[in-house]
Amino acid sequence: MLKVGVIGVQGAVSEHIDATKRALEKLGVGGEAFWLRRPEQLNAIDAIILPGGESTTISRLMQKSGLFEPVTKLGEEGLPIMGTCAGLILLAKEVEGAVEGQRFLELLDVRVNRNAYGRQVNSFEAPLKLSFSDEPFPGVFIRAPRIVELLGDKIKPIAWHGDEVVGVEQGNIIGLAFHPELTEDARLHEYFLRRAL
């Protein structure tokens, strides 16, 4: 039984819960996905998802609820964590365009530009290439951050929009500039959950 917590302080939480349930089904694995709002819910957890939303708000609310430090520690200790859109920003070591006083988990060796793709009206969908699958993946970009630079050799690209890297992995951590939870395609959630098996 896998226990997967989706940080539920703000953002696309229920969509990630649904996508995780589909992925568990596809993998033939029993488990649950739930709204993660309090530090005591981190007991016996197998994986964490940081959803899209507003990175400043999520960061502030994670600190307020007491989740920020324990989630950072679990990530450092090897617990699988996936961040999408704002979640990628929160995982990054370096952030261009950060709001003053905003804190980051700093678990991924990447530099990201927080508002690189502009506003809501600049949102788009495009087929993406994945490192682990031959079929294109439907990429949904909504006010997406841009991965500007991979910092060091531990970080590996796993998704591309044309020549541009839009998804990375580093050991137990995955960061995506787009929203896999807003599609019916559960391949990225499956790929992530295999780390917890």
Side-chain angles (χ1 to χ4, degrees):
M1 282 287 288
L2 279 186
K3 281 181 72 178
V4 183
V6 182
I7 299 286
V9 292
Q10 196 251 352
V13 181
S14 55
E15 293 88 346
H16 268 297
I17 288 173
D18 292 344
T20 301
K21 287 175 180 170
R22 287 198 307 275
L24 287 166
E25 218 169 274
K26 284 256 177 77
L27 291 167
V29 175
E32 62 166 333
F34 62 93
W35 288 70
L36 175 55
R37 292 188 175 109
R38 300 182 312 280
E40 55 268 28
Q41 292 176 290
L42 293 168
N43 295 334
I45 201 166
D46 297 298
I48 292 172
I49 296 174
L50 282 160
E54 213 292 305
S55 62
T56 318
T57 305
I58 295 172
S59 171
R60 194 174 68 242
L61 292 173
M62 281 182 72
Q63 290 171 68
K64 195 175 173 184
S65 64
L67 283 168
F68 196 92
E69 274 75 19
V71 167
T72 305
K73 189 167 183 286
L74 287 169
E76 289 168 348
E77 290 170 354
L79 188 85
I81 299 178
M82 178 168 74
T84 62
C85 198
L88 163 66
I89 297 168
L90 285 165
L91 289 170
K93 281 262 166 76
E94 297 180 16
V95 180
E96 296 175 4
V99 173
E100 195 177 331
Q102 185 177 5
R103 291 180 64 200
F104 305 97
L105 301 170
E106 297 183 30
L107 294 169
L108 265 183
D109 295 340
V110 286
R111 179 182 300 122
V112 300
N113 185 317
R114 192 166 159 266
N115 291 319
Y117 284 103
R119 297 151 43 137
Q120 200 89 9
V121 293
N122 304 115
S123 301
F124 66 97
E125 293 185 29
L128 307 179
K129 182 178 178 294
L130 299 178
S131 61
F132 54 87
S133 178
D134 293 333
E135 286 292 308
F137 188 90
V140 178
F141 293 79
I142 301 170
R143 294 181 63 201
R146 177 171 264 137
I147 296 169
V148 178
E149 189 182 350
L150 308 186
L151 307 169
D153 53 8
K154 288 182 186 167
I155 187 122
K156 307 282 183 240
I158 58 166
W160 295 263
H161 172 232
D163 293 332
E164 185 175 355
V165 175
V166 293
V168 290
E169 67 181 347
Q170 183 175 336
N172 53 308
I173 312 287
I174 289 178
L176 307 171
F178 53 97
H179 289 270
E181 77 283 4
L182 298 182
T183 74
E184 290 300 308
D185 194 324
R187 276 178 293 161
L188 275 157
H189 283 77
E190 289 172 49
Y191 184 72
F192 169 63
L193 291 175
R194 283 193 189 98
R195 285 165 165 65
L197 295 175

